[in-house]
């Protein structure tokens, strides 16, 4: 079988040449020889830095009259977003400093390094070019940007941002869990005990059914879930729905979210699903009494109206080895992580949305497992590809390689959004990947439950040590309806993988995947409105408001948008 980690430089060069945007051409790209050498670095199994797994990187160098050396690396010219600037001075006080830069407008500008005795950064676009030297002068702009300590510090009249290392926010429970995992023997087992003892069903909602109430206006394009009936019941959405007075909805129907165009919401309980689905043998386990009446809240996004992106958290997912797979599974502990490194230095993970995207943000949600849970402990998935650590890519930068047989949501360079099981053949897409996040195996594939839905270890579903899988979970699915593609996020207040699969199946999803679980922090989801220049969050359930911060006047500061977070997230922007 072909080794997925070994990719052909010639094939990737052909794809890269065909898909690189015109503006990126102005910034340059590696020639065939350089690309081949960089692909060798990408494929080698050894200790390395994160830069060495960026096969498409393009490097420019310059030297000033005083001997200062400058290097600017476009980490992926086809995406044209992130750059690494290195400034090395000579002499007794000589130093080497590195800066992670982000273009404020990568769709319309490029960044390059000029040569000559006084090198400069050149921001070029259709309106012309702008030059700056943020390392020069009595008070260099780069020094001031670092000193201010903002996650995104503007440079060159806000054409470029410096990404600064900051500490991501975490709740007390999250901080305690991290302490246990990092400093206490058998810490992970203690965390599992806490989750199984205290958090099972802790966030379950079960709205009372309201007989004879008016369900309000439905959203016909999405249709209705396939349920045995459509009772009206009380929900606990933290946003208003058109036609759903007081939060009362008709189970399985869709409602427009008020003041958030292109976004729709629905609710149900798994016990309401039609027996034509629940009764299908051999696909899932049966639902217990608690799961049958536990509320499920769903939010659908019309993808004709949105772009999708992914941003890693300041800390998670980590890049080291998960302790789940056995060493026999191909783990090479002579290197610090599955891709040869255990941190992203010198690249900076800010854990929040770039300020250049804030005006367009429509929604965010927590996107997946931490590295400690993001690999397999059993089955052939644990004994191949180093345990199948879940991969992720942001702005075309590979943080962890994408591996076959894992559920993957990804975005290509043309902005198209996809969700499917990654295959070895998909390696050819690497030059075109802008964002990607992998998380386990499918809940739904080709419209039916995935092959591992009934297997605790085979699905890597996580849960308590005795395989009690019912807990708070978040998931996402793709659905095509009325000639439109929809991304659906679902919040399950207490559910097993079987209940998730049956729910997504009842809503006609083509493909579905698990995201994260166990707390409202890990299943966080919010949509946004803009009011007087502020971004106002409206959460899928009310309890999530406590996760956000607040200004002194009580105005909310939304997670992922207004402050850095230690967890990774997916975001949707208005086109």
């Amino acid at each position: 079988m072909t080794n997925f980690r070994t990719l052909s430089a010639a094939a990737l060069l052909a794809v890269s040449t065909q898909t690189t945007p015109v503006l990126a051409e102005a910034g340059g790209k590696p020639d065939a020889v350089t690309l081949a050498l960089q692909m060798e670095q990408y494929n080698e199994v050894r200790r390395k830095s994160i830069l060495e797994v960026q096969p498409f990187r393009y490097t420019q160098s310059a030297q000033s009259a005083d001997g200062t050396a400058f290097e600017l690396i476009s980490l992926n010219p086809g995406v044209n977003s992130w750059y690494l600037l290195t400034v090395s001075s000579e002499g007794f006080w000589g130093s080497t400093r590195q800066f992670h830069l982000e273009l404020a407008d990568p769709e319309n500008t490029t960044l390059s390094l000029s040569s000559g005795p006084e090198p400069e950064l050149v921001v070029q676009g259709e309106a012309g070019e702008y030059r700056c030297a943020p390392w020069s002068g009595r008070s260099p702009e780069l020094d001031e940007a670092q000193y201010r300590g903002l996650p995104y510090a503007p440079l060159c009249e806000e054409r470029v941002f410096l990404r600064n290392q900051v500490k991501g926010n975490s709740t007390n429970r999250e901080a305690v869990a991290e302490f246990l995992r990092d400093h206490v023997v058998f810490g992970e087992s203690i965390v599992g005990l806490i989750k199984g003892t205290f958090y099972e069903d802790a966030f379950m909602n079960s709205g009372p059914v309201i007989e004879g109430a008016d369900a309000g206006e439905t959203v016909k394009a999405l249709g209705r879930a396939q349920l045995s009936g459509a009772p009206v019941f009380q929900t606990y959405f933290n946003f208003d729905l058109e036609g759903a007075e007081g939060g009362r909805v008709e189970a399985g129907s869709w409602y427009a979210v008020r003041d958030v165009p292109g976004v729709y919401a629905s609710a149900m309980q798994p016990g309401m699903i039609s027996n034509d689905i629940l009764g299908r043998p051999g696909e899932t386990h049966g639902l217990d009494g608690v799961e049958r009446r536990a509320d499920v809240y769903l939010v659908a996004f019309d993808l004709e109206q949105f772009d999708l992106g992914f941003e890693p958290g300041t800390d998670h997912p980590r890049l080291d080895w998960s302790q789940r797979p056995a060493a026999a599974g191909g783990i090479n502990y002579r290197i610090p992580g599955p891709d040869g490194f255990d941190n992203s230095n010198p690249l900076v993970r800010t854990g929040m949305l770039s300020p250049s995207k804030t005006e367009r943000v429509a929604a965010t949600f927590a996107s997946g497992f931490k590295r400690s849970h993001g690999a397999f402990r059993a089955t052939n998935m644990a004994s191949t590809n180093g345990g199948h650590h879940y991969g992720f890519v942001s702005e075309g930068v590979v943080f962890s390689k994408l591996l076959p047989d894992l559920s993957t949501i990804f975005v290509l360079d043309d902005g198209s959004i996809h969700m499917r099981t990654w295959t070895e053949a998909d390696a050819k897409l690497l030059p075109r990947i802008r964002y990607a996040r992998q998380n386990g195996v499918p809940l739904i594939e080709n419209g039916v439950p995935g092959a591992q839905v009934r297997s605790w270890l085979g699905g890597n579903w996580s849960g308590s040590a005795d395989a009690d899988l019912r807990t708070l979970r978040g998931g996402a699915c793709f659905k095509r309806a009325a000639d439109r593609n929809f991304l659906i996020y679902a919040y399950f207040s207490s559910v097993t993988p079987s209940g998730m699969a049956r729910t997504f199946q009842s809503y006609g999803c083509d493909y579905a995947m698990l995201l994260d679980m166990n707390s409202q922090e890990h299943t966080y989801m919010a949509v946004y409105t803009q009011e007087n220049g502020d971004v106002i969050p409206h959460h899928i359930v009310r309890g999530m408001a406590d996760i956000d911060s607040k200004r002194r006047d009580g105005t909310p500061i939304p997670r992922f948008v207004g402050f850095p977070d230690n967890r990774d997230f997916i975001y949707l922007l208005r086109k």
Side-chain angles (χ1 to χ4, degrees):
M1 184 171 64
T2 304
N3 185 343
F4 182 79
R5 295 174 180 268
T6 304
L7 305 179
S8 165
L12 291 178
L13 178 61
V15 176
S16 179
T17 301
Q18 294 169 7
T19 61
T20 302
V22 173
L23 276 174
E25 293 276 351
K29 62 184 180 181
D31 57 37
V33 174
T34 302
L35 178 60
L37 292 173
Q38 292 176 175
M39 285 306 310
E40 288 183 11
Q41 292 179 334
Y42 176 91
N43 288 319
E44 288 172 345
V45 180
R46 60 172 175 81
R47 182 184 293 269
K48 63 180 79 168
S49 77
I50 193 171
L51 293 179
E52 293 175 285
V53 294
Q54 312 311 319
F56 313 111
R57 66 188 186 275
Y58 175 70
T59 304
Q60 292 178 285
S61 300
Q63 187 170 21
S64 66
D66 65 1
T68 302
F70 300 87
E71 181 182 80
L72 182 69
I73 300 176
S74 174
L75 296 167
N76 189 327
V79 174
N80 184 46
S81 181
W82 285 357
Y83 293 77
L84 182 68
L85 172 67
T86 302
V87 181
S88 302
S89 59
E90 295 182 330
F92 183 79
W93 300 106
S95 65
T96 296
R97 302 170 66 193
Q98 293 182 302
F99 307 90
H100 184 176
L101 307 181
E102 178 175 311
L103 263 178
D105 187 8
E107 301 298 326
N108 299 296
T109 61
T110 58
L111 183 66
S112 60
L113 179 67
S114 71
S115 57
E118 296 183 2
E120 296 174 302
L121 294 178
V122 181
V123 182
Q124 187 172 0
E126 293 180 357
E129 68 177 31
Y130 174 86
R131 292 174 175 257
C132 63
W135 48 77
S136 65
R138 278 178 167 265
S139 299
E141 191 177 12
L142 274 171
D143 290 351
E144 292 184 2
Q146 277 194 322
Y147 177 77
R148 292 175 67 187
L150 296 174
Y152 294 88
L155 299 170
C156 304
E157 297 189 0
E158 300 186 5
R159 291 171 171 82
V160 179
F161 290 110
L162 172 66
R163 294 171 62 98
N164 280 316
Q165 190 69 55
V166 292
K167 181 175 177 58
N169 179 70
S170 62
T171 65
N172 289 337
R173 184 172 72 242
E174 185 79 0
V176 170
E178 284 306 297
F179 174 80
L180 291 173
R181 288 194 175 104
D182 290 343
H183 301 290
V184 180
V185 177
F186 306 122
E188 185 68 29
S189 298
I190 296 174
V191 173
L193 176 64
I194 292 172
K195 289 189 297 188
T197 304
F198 297 107
Y199 298 142
E200 180 181 344
D201 303 329
F203 301 100
M204 174 188 164
N205 295 321
S206 184
V209 174
I210 304 167
E211 299 294 340
D214 181 7
E217 181 182 353
T218 63
V219 180
K220 295 180 180 179
L222 277 166
R224 298 186 182 189
Q226 189 174 345
L227 306 182
S228 58
V232 172
F233 73 109
Q234 182 69 48
T235 62
Y236 302 94
F237 287 113
N238 201 32
F239 40 70
D240 295 327
L241 305 179
E242 299 290 350
E245 183 178 351
R248 295 179 299 175
V249 304
E250 183 182 72
S253 295
W254 289 98
Y255 300 80
V257 177
R258 187 170 297 165
D259 300 325
V260 191
V263 182
Y264 310 90
S266 183
M268 53 85 78
Q269 296 171 358
M272 300 174 180
I273 298 172
S274 167
N275 192 57
D276 290 342
I277 292 177
L278 289 183
R280 294 173 61 165
E283 292 184 343
T284 67
H285 292 304
L287 310 182
D288 66 24
V290 173
E291 186 176 16
R292 293 180 67 87
R293 60 184 176 85
D295 288 356
V296 180
Y297 300 148
L298 304 95
V299 178
F301 300 91
D302 180 354
L303 293 181
E304 288 192 5
Q305 302 186 40
F306 300 101
D307 293 321
L308 184 145
F310 166 81
E311 184 76 27
T314 57
D315 300 300
H316 301 292
R318 293 179 178 174
L319 302 174
D320 55 356
W321 293 104
S322 168
Q323 296 304 308
R324 286 193 160 196
I331 290 184
N332 180 0
Y333 286 116
R334 291 174 296 177
I335 60 177
D339 298 297
F341 49 88
D342 59 5
N343 65 74
S344 63
N345 297 334
L347 305 185
V348 173
R349 298 164 54 156
T350 63
M352 67 177 290
L353 192 68
S354 170
S356 64
K357 301 172 181 175
T358 302
E359 289 186 354
R360 298 171 54 207
V361 67
T364 63
F365 54 85
S367 59
F369 282 10
K370 296 179 180 180
R371 175 52 60 91
S372 57
H373 293 157
F376 285 75
R377 70 166 81 245
T379 75
N380 66 318
M381 296 288 280
S383 59
T384 56
N385 275 322
H388 280 84
H389 290 72
Y390 304 168
F392 58 105
V393 176
S394 183
E395 300 294 356
V397 171
V398 178
F399 283 86
S400 186
K401 293 179 182 178
L402 304 179
L403 297 179
D405 304 318
L406 295 176
S407 289
T408 309
I409 183 169
F410 62 98
V411 180
L412 296 178
D413 55 358
D414 61 3
S416 60
I417 304 167
H418 308 264
M419 184 189 290
R420 65 170 184 258
T421 302
W422 199 254
T423 68
E424 291 192 1
D426 286 325
K428 66 180 181 296
L429 293 176
L430 184 60
R432 301 189 57 199
I433 297 291
R434 181 158 194 165
Y435 305 105
R437 179 58 155 103
Q438 296 188 311
N439 218 53
V441 294
L443 289 160
I444 293 288
E445 192 165 27
N446 299 320
V448 298
Q452 299 298 329
V453 165
R454 293 188 297 168
S455 172
W456 176 46
L457 292 175
N460 206 38
W461 301 119
S462 196
S464 64
D466 59 355
D468 187 352
L469 300 179
R470 194 184 69 246
T471 185
L472 173 67
R473 293 177 184 266
C477 83
F478 261 40
K479 175 179 179 175
R480 185 162 180 82
D483 297 324
R484 291 173 180 265
N485 292 320
F486 288 87
L487 171 66
I488 299 175
Y489 175 86
Y491 170 92
F492 297 83
S493 60
S494 187
V495 75
T496 64
S498 289
M500 296 181 78
R502 289 306 194 198
T503 298
F504 284 130
Q505 194 176 15
S506 73
Y507 275 88
C509 293
D510 303 306
Y511 192 97
M513 60 190 289
L514 175 66
L515 295 176
D516 210 339
M517 55 188 284
N518 290 328
S519 77
Q520 290 186 345
E521 178 184 3
H522 300 160
T523 56
Y524 180 95
M525 185 271 171
V527 298
Y528 303 102
T529 55
Q530 305 272 344
E531 299 177 18
N532 301 319
D534 291 329
V535 177
I536 308 300
H538 308 272
H539 306 90
I540 194 169
V541 292
R542 297 168 187 170
M544 291 179 183
D546 295 334
I547 300 170
D548 294 338
S549 293
K550 287 183 173 59
R551 299 184 178 91
R552 292 182 180 178
D553 63 2
T555 305
I557 307 174
R559 183 188 189 191
F560 300 139
V561 177
F563 59 91
D565 198 87
N566 66 352
R567 302 298 296 265
D568 57 314
F569 63 98
I570 287 172
Y571 57 88
L572 289 110
L573 307 177
R574 295 198 176 279
K575 290 185 176 179

